[in-house]
PDB file of all heavy atoms in Angstrom:
ATOM      1  N   VAL P  26     -60.683 -41.115  23.725  1.00 97.00           N
ATOM      2  CA  VAL P  26     -61.264 -40.397  22.587  1.00 97.00           C
ATOM      3  C   VAL P  26     -60.319 -39.291  22.116  1.00 97.00           C
ATOM      4  O   VAL P  26     -60.124 -39.098  20.907  1.00 97.00           O
ATOM      5  CB  VAL P  26     -62.656 -39.829  22.965  1.00 97.00           C
ATOM      6  CG1 VAL P  26     -63.178 -38.895  21.899  1.00 97.00           C
ATOM      7  CG2 VAL P  26     -63.637 -40.962  23.214  1.00 97.00           C
ATOM      8  N   LEU P  27     -59.705 -38.564  23.058  1.00 97.00           N
ATOM      9  CA  LEU P  27     -58.755 -37.513  22.689  1.00 97.00           C
ATOM     10  C   LEU P  27     -57.572 -38.085  21.920  1.00 97.00           C
ATOM     11  O   LEU P  27     -57.138 -37.515  20.909  1.00 97.00           O
ATOM     12  CB  LEU P  27     -58.270 -36.777  23.934  1.00 97.00           C
ATOM     13  CG  LEU P  27     -57.247 -35.670  23.686  1.00 97.00           C
ATOM     14  CD1 LEU P  27     -57.892 -34.510  22.947  1.00 97.00           C
ATOM     15  CD2 LEU P  27     -56.651 -35.202  24.991  1.00 97.00           C
ATOM     16  N   GLY P  28     -57.047 -39.210  22.370  1.00 96.00           N
ATOM     17  CA  GLY P  28     -55.942 -39.854  21.660  1.00 96.00           C
ATOM     18  C   GLY P  28     -56.343 -40.262  20.251  1.00 96.00           C
ATOM     19  O   GLY P  28     -55.563 -40.120  19.305  1.00 96.00           O
ATOM     20  N   ALA P  29     -57.573 -40.762  20.087  1.00 97.00           N
ATOM     21  CA  ALA P  29     -58.055 -41.145  18.757  1.00 97.00           C
ATOM     22  C   ALA P  29     -58.180 -39.917  17.852  1.00 97.00           C
ATOM     23  O   ALA P  29     -57.805 -39.958  16.678  1.00 97.00           O
ATOM     24  CB  ALA P  29     -59.393 -41.873  18.870  1.00 97.00           C
ATOM     25  N   LEU P  30     -58.685 -38.822  18.395  1.00 97.00           N
ATOM     26  CA  LEU P  30     -58.814 -37.606  17.598  1.00 97.00           C
ATOM     27  C   LEU P  30     -57.453 -37.044  17.193  1.00 97.00           C
ATOM     28  O   LEU P  30     -57.278 -36.580  16.057  1.00 97.00           O
ATOM     29  CB  LEU P  30     -59.614 -36.553  18.371  1.00 97.00           C
ATOM     30  CG  LEU P  30     -61.100 -36.859  18.575  1.00 97.00           C
ATOM     31  CD1 LEU P  30     -61.740 -35.813  19.455  1.00 97.00           C
ATOM     32  CD2 LEU P  30     -61.807 -36.958  17.242  1.00 97.00           C
ATOM     33  N   VAL P  31     -56.490 -37.085  18.098  1.00 96.00           N
ATOM     34  CA  VAL P  31     -55.138 -36.624  17.765  1.00 96.00           C
ATOM     35  C   VAL P  31     -54.517 -37.541  16.715  1.00 96.00           C
ATOM     36  O   VAL P  31     -53.829 -37.072  15.796  1.00 96.00           O
ATOM     37  CB  VAL P  31     -54.260 -36.545  19.034  1.00 96.00           C
ATOM     38  CG1 VAL P  31     -52.798 -36.343  18.698  1.00 96.00           C
ATOM     39  CG2 VAL P  31     -54.740 -35.427  19.937  1.00 96.00           C
ATOM     40  N   GLY P  32     -54.768 -38.833  16.795  1.00 94.00           N
ATOM     41  CA  GLY P  32     -54.257 -39.769  15.790  1.00 94.00           C
ATOM     42  C   GLY P  32     -54.856 -39.528  14.415  1.00 94.00           C
ATOM     43  O   GLY P  32     -54.147 -39.566  13.402  1.00 94.00           O
ATOM     44  N   ILE P  33     -56.166 -39.250  14.366  1.00 93.00           N
ATOM     45  CA  ILE P  33     -56.830 -38.974  13.087  1.00 93.00           C
ATOM     46  C   ILE P  33     -56.315 -37.661  12.505  1.00 93.00           C
ATOM     47  O   ILE P  33     -55.983 -37.568  11.315  1.00 93.00           O
ATOM     48  CB  ILE P  33     -58.355 -38.951  13.272  1.00 93.00           C
ATOM     49  CG1 ILE P  33     -58.863 -40.359  13.585  1.00 93.00           C
ATOM     50  CG2 ILE P  33     -59.044 -38.400  12.025  1.00 93.00           C
ATOM     51  CD1 ILE P  33     -60.313 -40.412  14.027  1.00 93.00           C
ATOM     52  N   ALA P  34     -56.248 -36.625  13.344  1.00 94.00           N
ATOM     53  CA  ALA P  34     -55.755 -35.327  12.860  1.00 94.00           C
ATOM     54  C   ALA P  34     -54.304 -35.433  12.400  1.00 94.00           C
ATOM     55  O   ALA P  34     -53.917 -34.852  11.380  1.00 94.00           O
ATOM     56  CB  ALA P  34     -55.889 -34.282  13.963  1.00 94.00           C
ATOM     57  N   GLY P  35     -53.507 -36.178  13.136  1.00 92.00           N
ATOM     58  CA  GLY P  35     -52.109 -36.358  12.748  1.00 92.00           C
ATOM     59  C   GLY P  35     -51.978 -37.080  11.419  1.00 92.00           C
ATOM     60  O   GLY P  35     -51.124 -36.737  10.600  1.00 92.00           O
ATOM     61  N   ALA P  36     -52.839 -38.060  11.186  1.00 89.00           N
ATOM     62  CA  ALA P  36     -52.792 -38.794   9.922  1.00 89.00           C
ATOM     63  C   ALA P  36     -53.106 -37.879   8.745  1.00 89.00           C
ATOM     64  O   ALA P  36     -52.478 -37.976   7.682  1.00 89.00           O
ATOM     65  CB  ALA P  36     -53.794 -39.945   9.956  1.00 89.00           C
ATOM     66  N   LEU P  37     -54.046 -36.979   8.937  1.00 89.00           N
ATOM     67  CA  LEU P  37     -54.384 -36.062   7.856  1.00 89.00           C
ATOM     68  C   LEU P  37     -53.311 -35.015   7.625  1.00 89.00           C
ATOM     69  O   LEU P  37     -53.020 -34.638   6.494  1.00 89.00           O
ATOM     70  CB  LEU P  37     -55.730 -35.386   8.172  1.00 89.00           C
ATOM     71  CG  LEU P  37     -56.929 -36.334   8.266  1.00 89.00           C
ATOM     72  CD1 LEU P  37     -58.163 -35.591   8.711  1.00 89.00           C
ATOM     73  CD2 LEU P  37     -57.164 -37.043   6.945  1.00 89.00           C
ATOM     74  N   VAL P  38     -52.675 -34.545   8.686  1.00 92.00           N
ATOM     75  CA  VAL P  38     -51.664 -33.498   8.577  1.00 92.00           C
ATOM     76  C   VAL P  38     -50.357 -34.044   8.011  1.00 92.00           C
ATOM     77  O   VAL P  38     -49.663 -33.358   7.263  1.00 92.00           O
ATOM     78  CB  VAL P  38     -51.443 -32.839   9.959  1.00 92.00           C
ATOM     79  CG1 VAL P  38     -50.239 -31.942   9.973  1.00 92.00           C
ATOM     80  CG2 VAL P  38     -52.676 -32.063  10.371  1.00 92.00           C
ATOM     81  N   VAL P  39     -50.001 -35.279   8.339  1.00 89.00           N
ATOM     82  CA  VAL P  39     -48.737 -35.865   7.868  1.00 89.00           C
ATOM     83  C   VAL P  39     -48.696 -35.884   6.339  1.00 89.00           C
ATOM     84  O   VAL P  39     -47.683 -35.527   5.728  1.00 89.00           O
ATOM     85  CB  VAL P  39     -48.539 -37.290   8.436  1.00 89.00           C
ATOM     86  CG1 VAL P  39     -47.482 -38.056   7.678  1.00 89.00           C
ATOM     87  CG2 VAL P  39     -48.177 -37.211   9.894  1.00 89.00           C
ATOM     88  N   GLU P  40     -49.788 -36.269   5.721  1.00 82.00           N
ATOM     89  CA  GLU P  40     -49.812 -36.369   4.259  1.00 82.00           C
ATOM     90  C   GLU P  40     -50.136 -35.042   3.591  1.00 82.00           C
ATOM     91  O   GLU P  40     -49.823 -34.847   2.427  1.00 82.00           O
ATOM     92  CB  GLU P  40     -50.823 -37.436   3.824  1.00 82.00           C
ATOM     93  CG  GLU P  40     -50.490 -38.824   4.314  1.00 82.00           C
ATOM     94  CD  GLU P  40     -49.149 -39.327   3.823  1.00 82.00           C
ATOM     95  OE1 GLU P  40     -48.736 -39.002   2.693  1.00 82.00           O
ATOM     96  OE2 GLU P  40     -48.491 -40.053   4.592  1.00 82.00           O
ATOM     97  N   ALA P  41     -50.766 -34.116   4.297  1.00 83.00           N
ATOM     98  CA  ALA P  41     -51.159 -32.844   3.693  1.00 83.00           C
ATOM     99  C   ALA P  41     -49.986 -31.879   3.562  1.00 83.00           C
ATOM    100  O   ALA P  41     -49.848 -31.210   2.534  1.00 83.00           O
ATOM    101  CB  ALA P  41     -52.270 -32.195   4.511  1.00 83.00           C
ATOM    102  N   TRP P  42     -49.161 -31.761   4.587  1.00 85.00           N
ATOM    103  CA  TRP P  42     -48.014 -30.843   4.597  1.00 85.00           C
ATOM    104  C   TRP P  42     -46.752 -31.661   4.828  1.00 85.00           C
ATOM    105  O   TRP P  42     -46.317 -31.823   5.971  1.00 85.00           O
ATOM    106  CB  TRP P  42     -48.162 -29.797   5.693  1.00 85.00           C
ATOM    107  CG  TRP P  42     -49.413 -28.994   5.608  1.00 85.00           C
ATOM    108  CD1 TRP P  42     -50.022 -28.545   4.483  1.00 85.00           C
ATOM    109  CD2 TRP P  42     -50.199 -28.541   6.703  1.00 85.00           C
ATOM    110  NE1 TRP P  42     -51.139 -27.839   4.808  1.00 85.00           N
ATOM    111  CE2 TRP P  42     -51.281 -27.816   6.166  1.00 85.00           C
ATOM    112  CE3 TRP P  42     -50.115 -28.670   8.085  1.00 85.00           C
ATOM    113  CZ2 TRP P  42     -52.249 -27.231   6.954  1.00 85.00           C
ATOM    114  CZ3 TRP P  42     -51.081 -28.083   8.866  1.00 85.00           C
ATOM    115  CH2 TRP P  42     -52.131 -27.374   8.303  1.00 85.00           C
ATOM    116  N   PRO P  43     -46.140 -32.159   3.779  1.00 81.00           N
ATOM    117  CA  PRO P  43     -45.077 -33.151   3.917  1.00 81.00           C
ATOM    118  C   PRO P  43     -44.002 -32.934   4.981  1.00 81.00           C
ATOM    119  O   PRO P  43     -43.946 -33.724   5.903  1.00 81.00           O
ATOM    120  CB  PRO P  43     -44.486 -33.235   2.522  1.00 81.00           C
ATOM    121  CG  PRO P  43     -45.608 -32.888   1.642  1.00 81.00           C
ATOM    122  CD  PRO P  43     -46.432 -31.890   2.388  1.00 81.00           C
ATOM    123  N   PRO P  44     -43.149 -31.955   4.963  1.00 81.00           N
ATOM    124  CA  PRO P  44     -42.138 -31.983   6.028  1.00 81.00           C
ATOM    125  C   PRO P  44     -42.658 -31.454   7.362  1.00 81.00           C
ATOM    126  O   PRO P  44     -42.421 -32.053   8.405  1.00 81.00           O
ATOM    127  CB  PRO P  44     -41.003 -31.109   5.483  1.00 81.00           C
ATOM    128  CG  PRO P  44     -41.620 -30.252   4.447  1.00 81.00           C
ATOM    129  CD  PRO P  44     -42.860 -30.925   3.976  1.00 81.00           C
ATOM    130  N   GLY P  45     -43.377 -30.337   7.330  1.00 91.00           N
ATOM    131  CA  GLY P  45     -43.840 -29.720   8.574  1.00 91.00           C
ATOM    132  C   GLY P  45     -45.003 -30.453   9.209  1.00 91.00           C
ATOM    133  O   GLY P  45     -45.192 -30.398  10.425  1.00 91.00           O
ATOM    134  N   GLY P  46     -45.791 -31.148   8.415  1.00 92.00           N
ATOM    135  CA  GLY P  46     -46.940 -31.873   8.947  1.00 92.00           C
ATOM    136  C   GLY P  46     -46.539 -33.013   9.859  1.00 92.00           C
ATOM    137  O   GLY P  46     -47.188 -33.292  10.863  1.00 92.00           O
ATOM    138  N   LEU P  47     -45.450 -33.671   9.511  1.00 92.00           N
ATOM    139  CA  LEU P  47     -44.952 -34.768  10.345  1.00 92.00           C
ATOM    140  C   LEU P  47     -44.500 -34.258  11.704  1.00 92.00           C
ATOM    141  O   LEU P  47     -44.843 -34.831  12.739  1.00 92.00           O
ATOM    142  CB  LEU P  47     -43.804 -35.483   9.635  1.00 92.00           C
ATOM    143  CG  LEU P  47     -43.107 -36.591  10.409  1.00 92.00           C
ATOM    144  CD1 LEU P  47     -44.086 -37.714  10.709  1.00 92.00           C
ATOM    145  CD2 LEU P  47     -41.919 -37.110   9.636  1.00 92.00           C
ATOM    146  N   VAL P  48     -43.769 -33.157  11.706  1.00 94.00           N
ATOM    147  CA  VAL P  48     -43.308 -32.576  12.969  1.00 94.00           C
ATOM    148  C   VAL P  48     -44.498 -32.102  13.797  1.00 94.00           C
ATOM    149  O   VAL P  48     -44.568 -32.346  15.008  1.00 94.00           O
ATOM    150  CB  VAL P  48     -42.326 -31.407  12.694  1.00 94.00           C
ATOM    151  CG1 VAL P  48     -41.969 -30.690  13.978  1.00 94.00           C
ATOM    152  CG2 VAL P  48     -41.089 -31.919  11.995  1.00 94.00           C
ATOM    153  N   LEU P  49     -45.459 -31.458  13.155  1.00 95.00           N
ATOM    154  CA  LEU P  49     -46.646 -30.987  13.853  1.00 95.00           C
ATOM    155  C   LEU P  49     -47.450 -32.142  14.447  1.00 95.00           C
ATOM    156  O   LEU P  49     -47.900 -32.080  15.596  1.00 95.00           O
ATOM    157  CB  LEU P  49     -47.523 -30.168  12.901  1.00 95.00           C
ATOM    158  CG  LEU P  49     -48.772 -29.544  13.481  1.00 95.00           C
ATOM    159  CD1 LEU P  49     -48.397 -28.504  14.530  1.00 95.00           C
ATOM    160  CD2 LEU P  49     -49.595 -28.911  12.384  1.00 95.00           C
ATOM    161  N   ALA P  50     -47.604 -33.230  13.699  1.00 94.00           N
ATOM    162  CA  ALA P  50     -48.353 -34.392  14.180  1.00 94.00           C
ATOM    163  C   ALA P  50     -47.649 -35.061  15.361  1.00 94.00           C
ATOM    164  O   ALA P  50     -48.301 -35.466  16.332  1.00 94.00           O
ATOM    165  CB  ALA P  50     -48.547 -35.394  13.047  1.00 94.00           C
ATOM    166  N   LEU P  51     -46.326 -35.160  15.284  1.00 95.00           N
ATOM    167  CA  LEU P  51     -45.584 -35.773  16.390  1.00 95.00           C
ATOM    168  C   LEU P  51     -45.614 -34.897  17.636  1.00 95.00           C
ATOM    169  O   LEU P  51     -45.731 -35.404  18.761  1.00 95.00           O
ATOM    170  CB  LEU P  51     -44.147 -36.069  15.971  1.00 95.00           C
ATOM    171  CG  LEU P  51     -43.978 -37.250  15.017  1.00 95.00           C
ATOM    172  CD1 LEU P  51     -42.537 -37.364  14.554  1.00 95.00           C
ATOM    173  CD2 LEU P  51     -44.441 -38.538  15.670  1.00 95.00           C
ATOM    174  N   LEU P  52     -45.529 -33.577  17.462  1.00 96.00           N
ATOM    175  CA  LEU P  52     -45.618 -32.679  18.618  1.00 96.00           C
ATOM    176  C   LEU P  52     -47.014 -32.722  19.238  1.00 96.00           C
ATOM    177  O   LEU P  52     -47.150 -32.662  20.463  1.00 96.00           O
ATOM    178  CB  LEU P  52     -45.252 -31.251  18.209  1.00 96.00           C
ATOM    179  CG  LEU P  52     -43.779 -30.993  17.971  1.00 96.00           C
ATOM    180  CD1 LEU P  52     -43.563 -29.572  17.460  1.00 96.00           C
ATOM    181  CD2 LEU P  52     -42.969 -31.242  19.225  1.00 96.00           C
ATOM    182  N   ALA P  53     -48.051 -32.831  18.410  1.00 96.00           N
ATOM    183  CA  ALA P  53     -49.415 -32.949  18.939  1.00 96.00           C
ATOM    184  C   ALA P  53     -49.585 -34.247  19.717  1.00 96.00           C
ATOM    185  O   ALA P  53     -50.220 -34.273  20.783  1.00 96.00           O
ATOM    186  CB  ALA P  53     -50.423 -32.870  17.795  1.00 96.00           C
ATOM    187  N   SER P  54     -49.025 -35.329  19.210  1.00 96.00           N
ATOM    188  CA  SER P  54     -49.098 -36.612  19.914  1.00 96.00           C
ATOM    189  C   SER P  54     -48.353 -36.546  21.242  1.00 96.00           C
ATOM    190  O   SER P  54     -48.864 -36.998  22.274  1.00 96.00           O
ATOM    191  CB  SER P  54     -48.511 -37.726  19.051  1.00 96.00           C
ATOM    192  OG  SER P  54     -49.227 -37.863  17.855  1.00 96.00           O
ATOM    193  N   LEU P  55     -47.163 -35.970  21.222  1.00 95.00           N
ATOM    194  CA  LEU P  55     -46.384 -35.823  22.449  1.00 95.00           C
ATOM    195  C   LEU P  55     -47.126 -34.952  23.455  1.00 95.00           C
ATOM    196  O   LEU P  55     -47.176 -35.272  24.649  1.00 95.00           O
ATOM    197  CB  LEU P  55     -45.012 -35.228  22.134  1.00 95.00           C
ATOM    198  CG  LEU P  55     -44.061 -35.045  23.311  1.00 95.00           C
ATOM    199  CD1 LEU P  55     -43.685 -36.389  23.896  1.00 95.00           C
ATOM    200  CD2 LEU P  55     -42.832 -34.284  22.879  1.00 95.00           C
ATOM    201  N   GLY P  56     -47.726 -33.873  22.991  1.00 95.00           N
ATOM    202  CA  GLY P  56     -48.507 -33.003  23.881  1.00 95.00           C
ATOM    203  C   GLY P  56     -49.721 -33.707  24.459  1.00 95.00           C
ATOM    204  O   GLY P  56     -50.058 -33.531  25.639  1.00 95.00           O
ATOM    205  N   CYS P  57     -50.372 -34.519  23.644  1.00 96.00           N
ATOM    206  CA  CYS P  57     -51.529 -35.287  24.126  1.00 96.00           C
ATOM    207  C   CYS P  57     -51.109 -36.278  25.202  1.00 96.00           C
ATOM    208  O   CYS P  57     -51.746 -36.380  26.260  1.00 96.00           O
ATOM    209  CB  CYS P  57     -52.180 -36.007  22.950  1.00 96.00           C
ATOM    210  SG  CYS P  57     -53.517 -37.115  23.404  1.00 96.00           S
ATOM    211  N   PHE P  58     -50.027 -37.001  24.980  1.00 95.00           N
ATOM    212  CA  PHE P  58     -49.574 -38.005  25.941  1.00 95.00           C
ATOM    213  C   PHE P  58     -49.068 -37.363  27.234  1.00 95.00           C
ATOM    214  O   PHE P  58     -49.362 -37.840  28.327  1.00 95.00           O
ATOM    215  CB  PHE P  58     -48.488 -38.891  25.329  1.00 95.00           C
ATOM    216  CG  PHE P  58     -48.925 -39.623  24.094  1.00 95.00           C
ATOM    217  CD1 PHE P  58     -48.029 -39.876  23.068  1.00 95.00           C
ATOM    218  CD2 PHE P  58     -50.231 -40.046  23.937  1.00 95.00           C
ATOM    219  CE1 PHE P  58     -48.421 -40.544  21.930  1.00 95.00           C
ATOM    220  CE2 PHE P  58     -50.631 -40.716  22.791  1.00 95.00           C
ATOM    221  CZ  PHE P  58     -49.729 -40.961  21.785  1.00 95.00           C
ATOM    222  N   MET P  59     -48.332 -36.268  27.116  1.00 94.00           N
ATOM    223  CA  MET P  59     -47.826 -35.602  28.315  1.00 94.00           C
ATOM    224  C   MET P  59     -48.961 -34.948  29.092  1.00 94.00           C
ATOM    225  O   MET P  59     -48.980 -34.977  30.328  1.00 94.00           O
ATOM    226  CB  MET P  59     -46.762 -34.562  27.915  1.00 94.00           C
ATOM    227  CG  MET P  59     -45.958 -34.082  29.073  1.00 94.00           C
ATOM    228  SD  MET P  59     -45.053 -35.448  29.823  1.00 94.00           S
ATOM    229  CE  MET P  59     -44.796 -34.794  31.429  1.00 94.00           C
TER     230      MET P  59
END
């Protein structure tokens, strides 16, 4: 469930804040997996 929530939040952030949102979404995913 946590992975799904991070994926949904990342999808919204990637398109909302173009350059920084992608970095933020990838760092959140990496933090979730680690």
Side-chain angles (χ1 to χ4, degrees):
V26 171
L27 179 68
L30 291 175
V31 169
I33 291 170
L37 297 174
V38 169
V39 164
E40 298 300 326
W42 303 322
L47 176 63
V48 173
L49 183 65
L51 287 174
L52 286 175
S54 299
L55 182 65
C57 174
F58 301 146
M59 194 62 203

